[in-house]
Amino acid sequence: MIKLSPSILAANFLKLGEEIESAADAGADYLHYDVMDGMFVPNISFGQGILKQVAARSRIPCDVHLMIEQPERYVESFAKNGARIITVHAEATRHLNRALHQIRECGCLAGVSLNPHTSPECLKYVLGDFDLVLVMTVNPGFGGQKMIPACIEKVRDIKAMLDAAGAAAEIEVDGGVSVETAGDLVRAGASVLVAGSAFFGAKDRKSYAAALKALG
Ligand code: DX5
Ligand code: ZN
């Protein structure tokens, strides 16, 4: 089954409440919340104060993607403010194992994200410590970019690695995901689709969500 996680980075912030509702109404499974610190990525978005209000309004779990340096500094705070899934970047922490355990101890599902150039090899010794792998299919920092085709093979490699280890973690893909690009990613093993501009820019979000989910 394919799950959909619309990224509110592409929402109209002047009517954020309605945008959040529209994701759940369209049949989305999670609400993707992109946190950027201007250091790990060259952009700044929003933090845990806004998450608190978003999570209170959302009928679906908040899937928090931390694109920040030393994410372990903020895990507890995002958990307290309503995150249900917390994903950290392998490149942003010196202590990935510790950060993943910290996320689970806070009662959240733990995710590891990899930038497009990062080899899946770094997952090898933490298999079992995470619930999902977030494969960046663009260089993180901005919505509305084009999916990098080499990431399809990477998803396939990660899927093979998880299957060989008997690990049940899901593969989530993020960046340039649309009905045009998601088919290849799903066939390679992705089961959670993040869609920002494609979802919030769709004329009919409900049918767009159904089309994405039907790819599985
Ligand atoms: C990019 C973010 C993505 C972004 C996706 O750094 O992590 O979640 O919002 O946006 P689209 O779907 O427009 O590429
Ligand atoms: Zn994201």
Side-chain angles (χ1 to χ4, degrees):
M1 200 193 87
I2 299 300
K3 295 189 185 118
L4 175 63
S5 190
S7 167
I8 59 163
L9 193 66
N12 180 342
F13 300 128
L14 297 180
K15 27 180 201 167
L16 192 52
E18 291 161 45
E19 298 283 77
I20 292 167
E21 288 286 322
S22 88
D25 289 346
D29 301 273
Y30 305 129
L31 193 67
H32 192 80
Y33 188 87
D34 284 309
V35 182
M36 303 177 181
D37 66 352
M39 290 296 287
F40 182 70
V41 289
N43 198 5
I44 298 175
S45 59
F46 25 65
Q48 54 283 57
I50 293 178
L51 175 66
K52 189 174 185 178
Q53 296 187 22
V54 168
R57 179 71 184 259
S58 181
R59 283 143 46 211
I60 48 179
C62 290
D63 164 28
V64 174
H65 177 192
L66 296 182
M67 287 165 276
I68 65 175
E69 293 287 354
Q70 298 175 18
E72 51 281 351
R73 295 174 298 153
Y74 290 102
V75 162
E76 197 180 330
S77 165
F78 278 99
K80 278 194 180 139
N81 283 288
R84 279 297 300 123
I85 301 170
I86 298 180
T87 296
V88 295
H89 271 261
E91 306 89 354
T93 175
R94 292 199 181 126
H95 302 285
L96 182 58
N97 178 291
R98 181 184 290 153
L100 294 172
H101 282 271
Q102 193 189 0
I103 295 169
R104 285 183 168 173
E105 277 159 23
C106 288
C108 296
L109 295 176
V112 189
S113 185
L114 305 180
N115 281 338
H117 74 279
T118 304
S119 167
E121 190 69 12
C122 66
L123 301 174
K124 189 169 165 189
Y125 301 107
V126 286
L127 287 169
D129 297 319
F130 56 83
D131 303 288
L132 69 89
V133 186
L134 174 56
V135 180
M136 285 311 308
T137 44
V138 297
N139 289 301
F142 304 94
Q145 303 180 77
K146 269 182 101 171
M147 196 260 279
I148 299 170
C151 298
I152 299 165
E153 185 185 343
K154 185 167 165 185
V155 169
R156 206 176 293 123
D157 290 347
I158 294 173
K159 176 73 176 148
M161 185 188 229
L162 295 174
D163 286 351
E170 295 205 88
I171 300 177
E172 181 172 21
V173 283
D174 184 6
V177 175
S178 65
V179 278
E180 288 77 30
T181 59
D184 286 337
L185 294 165
V186 167
R187 282 186 288 279
S191 59
V192 185
L193 304 175
V194 175
S197 40
F199 175 82
F200 283 102
K203 273 208 187 81
D204 178 349
R205 292 177 184 169
K206 202 170 186 163
S207 0
Y208 200 82
L212 281 171
K213 294 181 78 159
L215 294 168

